[in-house]
Amino acid sequence: MPLAFPSEKPPVITVAELNRRARELLEGEFRMLWVAGEISNVKLAPSGHWYFGLKDAAASVDCAMFQSRARFLDFKPVNGQQVEVRARVTLYEPRGSYQLVVDEMRKAGLGALYEAFEKLKARLDAEGLFAAERKRPLPEYPRAIGIVTSPAAAALRDVLTTLARRAPMVPVILYPAPVQGEGAGARIAAAIAVANARAECDVLVVCRGGGSLEDLWAFNEEVVARAIAASAIPVVSGVGHETDFTIADFAADLRAPTPTAAAAAASPDRDSLCEMVAQMQRRLSRDLERLLETSAQRLDRAARRLLTPDERIARHREALDRLARRMRQCAHAQLRLHRAHFDARRAALGHLDPTRVLARGYAIVRDADGAIRRSSEGLVAGQPLDIAFSEGGAEVSVIRKRTAS
């Protein structure tokens, strides 16, 4: 900010205020930018910060790279080394010294590689090679795990150690390929093709350890990206350190920050599986125990309802007794009813009983054939008749017939 002088007499400011304003001017004018130069007077502080000068034929500038960013360097800065730094311009207020605070450093000449990286990345991305919908999920329980890397790579030892710890039951198949140097990209792509042709594994780990941009360049080649995209087997990319990104990372189904992390992502965790099985066993044991308890309760209830033969006979006997009593009661009722009906009918028949009529002084007359004679018609003198009285009877003969008057 420019200093303002409201009156002819300029204000007096402190050195600290001057340096603060100078720092704000520098930081406001210059954003993050790349600066090329030669390293000089390089020093590594106990704190992990790097201090050095950056110079060319005409000038130099002091630089500071703090430990939080220096830990991501893949090379050790040395005097005389040509580098390119991404930095912000500032001023160290206590000394009033102008300096660069470095965020990133690379060896000189890598700018062309970065440019090639970005161009290829943009072109393949435009083709849809990195599209999220192309990414496939990794198998949860692979039959075998394939590894594409160099047999001499330290990353292979890390991957094998991780797999041996996490999933010793899963076979591991190595598809060897150089991971650095001329022709390495084509060899890596060929190894991926071989793994697909053999179809021996369910997931592929393409990996190598950390290194400079040049060291990792094989994984930035188009042939490798297309081989990964064309793979029928899901691919996990584990190239370099956490801050390293390659074209292979974007093409892979999953990008892991390190080879060890790639091995972990591709494999089931035996300890977790064992714990899951143990939990299932405990749950099954509890369920089985509850089932047995429920069955035992049902059995107890059934046992209480179950009778011995003597008890069953006794219950049947009681039931028969009850039936017999009901039958007797029914029979007596029916007998009384029939008796009442009989008495009523007998009383009705009594009125028709001829003996009762005879008792009132009447008699029954039968002819010799036993037929009852109800009139004198047809009788002749001397004809024998049989007369029945209320008590006894007599045999008579007709003396004279009378007719009704």
Side-chain angles (χ1 to χ4, degrees):
M1 295 173 59
L3 296 177
F5 301 102
S7 63
E8 292 185 1
K9 183 179 180 181
V12 178
I13 62 172
T14 64
V15 174
E17 176 68 12
L18 175 64
N19 287 350
R20 183 185 66 79
R21 293 192 182 189
R23 178 182 61 78
E24 291 175 350
L25 279 171
L26 286 171
E27 292 179 354
E29 179 67 21
F30 296 99
R31 301 300 180 184
M32 195 75 72
L33 72 165
W34 284 95
V35 181
E38 177 186 325
I39 294 177
S40 64
N41 300 320
V42 62
K43 295 178 182 177
L44 175 62
S47 60
H49 304 331
W50 286 93
Y51 297 99
F52 55 94
L54 193 64
K55 66 179 184 178
D56 58 20
S60 68
V61 62
D62 290 337
C63 301
M65 188 174 194
F66 299 125
Q67 189 273 340
S68 60
R69 301 305 302 168
R71 64 190 182 95
F72 296 120
L73 281 175
D74 56 7
F75 66 94
K76 182 180 179 180
V78 295
N79 290 329
Q81 192 172 33
Q82 296 291 328
V83 296
E84 297 168 351
V85 298
R86 182 171 176 267
R88 57 186 175 88
V89 182
T90 186
L91 182 139
Y92 183 57
E93 293 183 31
R95 288 202 307 268
S97 59
Y98 146 74
Q99 65 177 7
L100 299 179
V101 174
V102 178
D103 185 72
E104 185 179 348
M105 183 191 304
R106 66 193 183 198
K107 295 178 183 177
L110 295 185
L113 290 179
Y114 278 111
E115 183 178 357
F117 173 92
E118 291 297 338
K119 285 183 178 180
L120 178 60
K121 178 173 174 287
R123 179 161 58 84
L124 297 181
D125 191 19
E127 288 185 27
L129 213 69
F130 308 151
E133 56 269 20
R134 296 186 71 257
K135 309 295 183 182
R136 294 163 296 177
L138 305 185
E140 192 171 4
Y141 303 108
R143 294 170 304 161
I145 298 173
I147 304 174
V148 176
T149 193
S150 168
L156 177 61
R157 292 192 296 273
D158 295 339
V159 168
L160 293 178
T161 299
T162 301
L163 293 178
R165 173 177 52 82
R166 286 177 56 88
M169 65 286 187
V170 180
V172 177
I173 303 170
L174 176 64
Y175 300 95
V179 293
Q180 177 176 343
E182 186 177 355
R187 299 276 295 277
I188 293 170
I192 295 172
V194 168
N196 277 269
R198 293 182 183 175
E200 301 165 315
C201 57
D202 295 329
V203 62
L204 270 179
V205 175
V206 177
C207 63
R208 71 148 286 160
S212 65
L213 181 60
E214 302 104 309
D215 294 337
L216 303 180
W217 193 252
F219 296 90
N220 288 321
E221 294 187 19
E222 182 174 353
V223 65
V224 174
R226 295 198 179 278
I228 292 174
S231 174
I233 304 171
V235 176
V236 182
S237 173
V239 179
H241 298 306
E242 185 173 352
T243 56
D244 295 322
F245 278 88
T246 65
I247 299 295
D249 293 331
F250 298 105
D253 295 289
L254 178 69
R255 183 255 176 186
T258 63
T260 299
S267 61
D269 184 10
R270 179 184 61 175
D271 293 341
S272 298
L273 291 175
C274 289
E275 177 58 27
M276 182 176 67
V277 170
Q279 289 178 357
M280 295 175 65
Q281 287 177 332
R282 290 193 292 270
R283 190 160 55 246
L284 181 61
S285 178
R286 288 195 300 269
D287 293 344
L288 183 59
E289 186 176 348
R290 282 195 296 268
L291 178 61
L292 291 175
E293 289 174 352
T294 303
S295 299
Q297 290 176 349
R298 286 203 302 268
L299 182 61
D300 289 342
R301 288 195 295 270
R304 287 194 293 270
R305 293 195 301 269
L306 185 64
L307 302 175
T308 65
D310 289 342
E311 291 173 331
R312 190 175 295 276
I313 291 172
R315 289 198 177 186
H316 284 310
R317 184 177 290 115
E318 291 176 0
L320 287 173
D321 291 342
R322 288 193 298 272
L323 288 173
R325 284 194 297 273
R326 286 200 297 271
M327 290 179 68
R328 284 194 296 271
Q329 292 170 357
C330 182
H332 289 319
Q334 291 293 325
L335 183 60
R336 286 192 297 271
L337 180 62
H338 289 313
R339 182 176 287 117
H341 290 168
F342 177 76
D343 291 343
R345 288 191 177 94
R346 186 173 61 180
L349 288 173
H351 296 294
L352 302 176
D353 188 354
T355 59
R356 291 189 178 185
V357 176
L358 296 177
R360 294 198 299 271
Y362 294 93
I364 298 175
V365 181
R366 290 184 176 85
D367 60 17
D369 295 329
I372 297 176
R373 304 294 302 199
R374 294 179 174 82
S375 71
S376 61
E377 184 180 359
L379 292 178
V380 296
Q383 182 178 350
L385 296 171
D386 182 77
I387 300 175
F389 302 101
S390 174
E391 294 180 3
E395 294 180 0
V396 299
S397 62
V398 177
I399 298 176
R400 185 176 60 249
K401 179 177 77 169
R402 290 196 297 269
T403 59
S405 59

